[in-house]
Amino acid sequence: MITIKIAFFVGLALGQLSAQELKMPPNLDHLAAKATEVVDVTLDANLLQLAGRFLSDKDADDAKVKKIIGGLRGIYVKSFEFEKPGEYQDSDVEPFRAQLRSPAWSRIVGVRSQKSGENSEVYVKTEGGKIGGLAILSTEPKQLTIVSIEGSIDPDQLNELGGHFGIPKLGTDSPHKASKSGKDE
Amino acid sequence: MEDFERQLKDALSRKEPSPSFEAKVFGAIAAQQTGRIRFWRWAAALAVMLLVVAGFWMRHERQIEERAAGEAAKARLQLALRITVTELAKIQKSVRTSTEE
């Protein structure tokens, strides 16, 4: 009986652990002081719901966004742009990467360029055979971007956003231009 | 002296009020009460009106605040999606480039 109870609680704890959402490393905040541009977007379920109320069903672009955020629980973005290389360390992003090593997450893309020093990784979380989360970790010598999207998301829907709201079409040239629009706060 | 006593007696003797005296007193009381009731009616109406105006004003302010918060959330959402899609586009381009190489 005791064994069953222990197994139940261990199972419960593991279940909660896998369901746990990604957390933005708090140590990233000190990078803001060194960065020339900072984007820090935190949209929890309540804010997504609020934003959704201001997206028109009649507007095609708004309708697409509304469809995307319908299944989301949160969107968290932190992006830093620095004047010179070496302003952040690998250890700054390690706590975030460590969370992505849990069984719930799988790395679907990893791109490392020795020449440019770029390193990009895309992770997805699967929940019941569907994508239940998306994480992007992109490091460049002078730029660091972390994206965490929680909830049911269809990458094809994201693809459809290309060409709208200043978003480049996927696969087109100079894609990063739009992200350098300035500070959010 | 007798004349004085008589005058005093007359002055202090009980006199019946005129028949209209009672009506005048009750009329004055009623008029006073009516004025008071009218005042409270107006005061209550004014209070209700002020409450209604305050209610509308608060609702209007709340709507303005909610709209501002909603528009800000929408702008943040668009920014977040723009960065996400931009990063994905960049990764896709890198993958394509490395595949072609």
Side-chain angles (χ1 to χ4, degrees), chain B residues 17-87:
Chain B
S18 65
S20 61
F21 178 75
E22 195 181 2
K24 277 181 189 170
V25 170
F26 283 116
I29 292 168
Q32 210 174 13
Q33 278 179 342
T34 310
R36 204 172 290 159
I37 288 167
R38 198 174 292 155
F39 167 78
W40 283 114
R41 271 188 194 157
W42 275 108
L46 192 70
V48 168
M49 203 170 75
L50 281 173
L51 275 173
V52 170
V53 170
F56 272 111
W57 183 76
M58 279 169 72
R59 194 178 155 201
H60 178 66
E61 285 294 304
R62 204 167 50 225
Q63 277 175 343
I64 289 173
E65 278 173 25
E66 200 180 24
R67 174 160 277 282
E71 292 293 346
K74 184 182 165 182
R76 283 177 175 215
L77 173 66
Q78 287 175 348
L79 176 67
L81 290 174
R82 196 161 66 214
I83 291 172
T84 305
V85 178
T86 302
E87 286 301 323

Side-chain angles (χ1 to χ4, degrees), chain A residues 64-79:
Chain A
K64 279 177 191 168
V65 176
K66 208 169 185 175
K67 203 174 166 188
I68 288 172
I69 64 167
L72 299 185
R73 296 190 298 273
I75 302 179
Y76 307 93
V77 176
K78 271 190 194 284
S79 184

Side-chain angles (χ1 to χ4, degrees), chain A residues 69-101:
Chain A
I69 64 167
L72 299 185
R73 296 190 298 273
I75 302 179
Y76 307 93
V77 176
K78 271 190 194 284
S79 184
F80 303 93
E81 201 174 306
F82 305 98
E83 204 168 14
K84 57 182 191 291
E87 292 285 10
Y88 70 92
Q89 307 302 315
D90 223 26
S91 58
D92 290 320
V93 291
E94 189 47 37
F96 187 75
R97 196 179 272 129
Q99 294 176 71
L100 296 166
R101 287 195 197 106

Side-chain angles (χ1 to χ4, degrees), chain A residues 39 41 43 53-54 62 65 69 75 109 111 120 122 138 140 147 165 167-168 170-171 175-176 178 181 184-185, chain B residues 66-67 69-71 73-74 76-92 94-96:
Chain A
V39 176
V41 182
L43 289 161
R53 290 217 298 267
F54 290 86
D62 278 9
V65 176
I69 64 167
I75 302 179
V109 181
V111 182
S120 302
V122 181
S138 173
E140 291 175 36
V147 176
F165 307 117
I167 297 170
L170 283 175
H176 204 75
S181 57
D184 177 47
E185 255 54 85
Chain B
E66 200 180 24
R67 174 160 277 282
E71 292 293 346
K74 184 182 165 182
R76 283 177 175 215
L77 173 66
Q78 287 175 348
L79 176 67
L81 290 174
R82 196 161 66 214
I83 291 172
T84 305
V85 178
T86 302
E87 286 301 323
L88 286 173
K90 198 171 70 176
I91 293 164
Q92 195 181 53
S94 300
V95 169
R96 196 173 290 163

